[in-house]
């Protein structure tokens, strides 16, 4: 008589262990992806600082990795007028977010990680905003303009 109850209890415990394991693994993957954003920011900050100290006109092609869940990498400036239509093509509501934050770098979707908005003071976009589609790697150009480093798309890239 007690055998069916033991079998049912075993199935329930196994299901709970499976669900808990799936939850932990998915959170671990998301945490890893968000940590990769921090590595991206650190690498970009180093590149900007390096080229800020070079001669005016010095430039380099930058290639950095991003997690697949991040759709776009954007550089923007609140000092210049933002192209609302361009931002709405990417994600509705980005214009409001970009105009109300103290950052100038965003990873879209902005709610994927707790911290998706960053600031590098010496970095400015060539076109405002400069949003690059993530294909696993982000390719763009950094060029020293004297008082700042300008980020622009590679020629021939969308």
């Amino acid at each position: 008589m007690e055998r069916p109850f033991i079998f049912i209890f075993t199935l329930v415990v196994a299901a709970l262990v499976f669900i808990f394991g799936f939850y932990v693994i998915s959170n671990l993957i998301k945490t890893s992806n968000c940590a990769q954003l921090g590595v991206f920011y650190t690498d970009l900050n180093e590149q900007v600082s390096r080229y800020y100290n070079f001669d005016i006109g010095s430039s380099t092609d930058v290639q950095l990795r991003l997690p697949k869940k991040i759709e776009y990498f954007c550089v923007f400036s609140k000092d210049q007028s933002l192209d609302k239509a361009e931002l709405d093509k990417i994600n509705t509501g980005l214009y409001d977010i970009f105009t109300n934050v103290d950052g100038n770098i965003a990873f879209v979707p902005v709610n994927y990680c707790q911290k998706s908005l960053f600031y590098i003071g010496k970095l400015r976009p060539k076109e405002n905003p400069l949003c690059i589609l993530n294909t696993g790697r982000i390719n763009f150009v950094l060029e020293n303009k004297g008082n700042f480093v300008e980020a622009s798309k590679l020629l021939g890239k969308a």
Side-chain angles (χ1 to χ4, degrees):
M1 188 69 166
E2 62 191 49
R3 231 176 192 181
F5 293 112
I6 292 174
F7 184 68
I8 291 170
F9 179 73
T10 304
L11 285 176
V12 168
V13 169
L16 290 175
V17 167
F18 180 74
I19 291 169
F20 179 73
F22 179 77
Y23 174 77
V24 168
I25 290 171
S26 65
N27 277 344
L28 186 61
I29 290 170
K30 184 175 180 180
T31 301
S32 169
N33 288 340
C34 291
Q36 195 172 352
L37 290 184
V39 170
F40 181 98
Y41 168 75
T42 302
D43 292 345
L44 178 59
N45 197 12
E46 288 173 4
Q47 291 275 1
V48 168
S49 294
R50 180 179 302 127
Y51 276 84
Y52 181 77
N53 293 319
F54 283 178
D55 291 333
I56 295 174
S58 299
S59 67
T60 186
D61 294 350
V62 178
Q63 188 177 73
L64 297 171
R65 296 181 57 87
L66 272 180
K68 292 178 184 174
K69 295 284 186 175
I70 300 300
E71 296 170 12
Y72 285 90
F73 161 69
C74 295
V75 179
F76 60 95
S77 173
K78 292 193 317 186
D79 299 336
Q80 304 168 353
S81 65
L82 281 165
D83 186 355
K84 185 176 187 320
E86 183 70 26
L87 289 172
D88 284 344
K89 287 181 201 173
I90 296 170
N91 192 339
T92 349
L94 276 183
Y95 180 80
D96 295 330
I97 293 170
F98 286 8
T99 54
N100 293 317
V101 296
D102 292 329
N104 66 343
I105 296 171
F107 298 99
V108 179
V110 291
N111 59 356
Y112 180 70
C113 294
Q114 284 183 337
K115 182 140 175 81
S116 292
L117 300 162
F118 296 90
Y119 182 75
I120 297 177
K122 301 169 189 158
L123 183 64
R124 303 278 187 281
K126 183 172 187 170
E127 56 204 48
N128 200 26
L130 171 67
C131 289
I132 302 170
L133 181 65
N134 179 21
T135 58
R137 288 190 182 275
I138 299 294
N139 300 308
F140 57 98
V141 176
L142 291 178
E143 182 179 352
N144 183 317
K145 294 292 188 177
N147 295 331
F148 61 92
V149 175
E150 182 180 78
S152 61
K153 292 182 181 180
L154 282 173
L155 293 177
K157 299 284 182 180

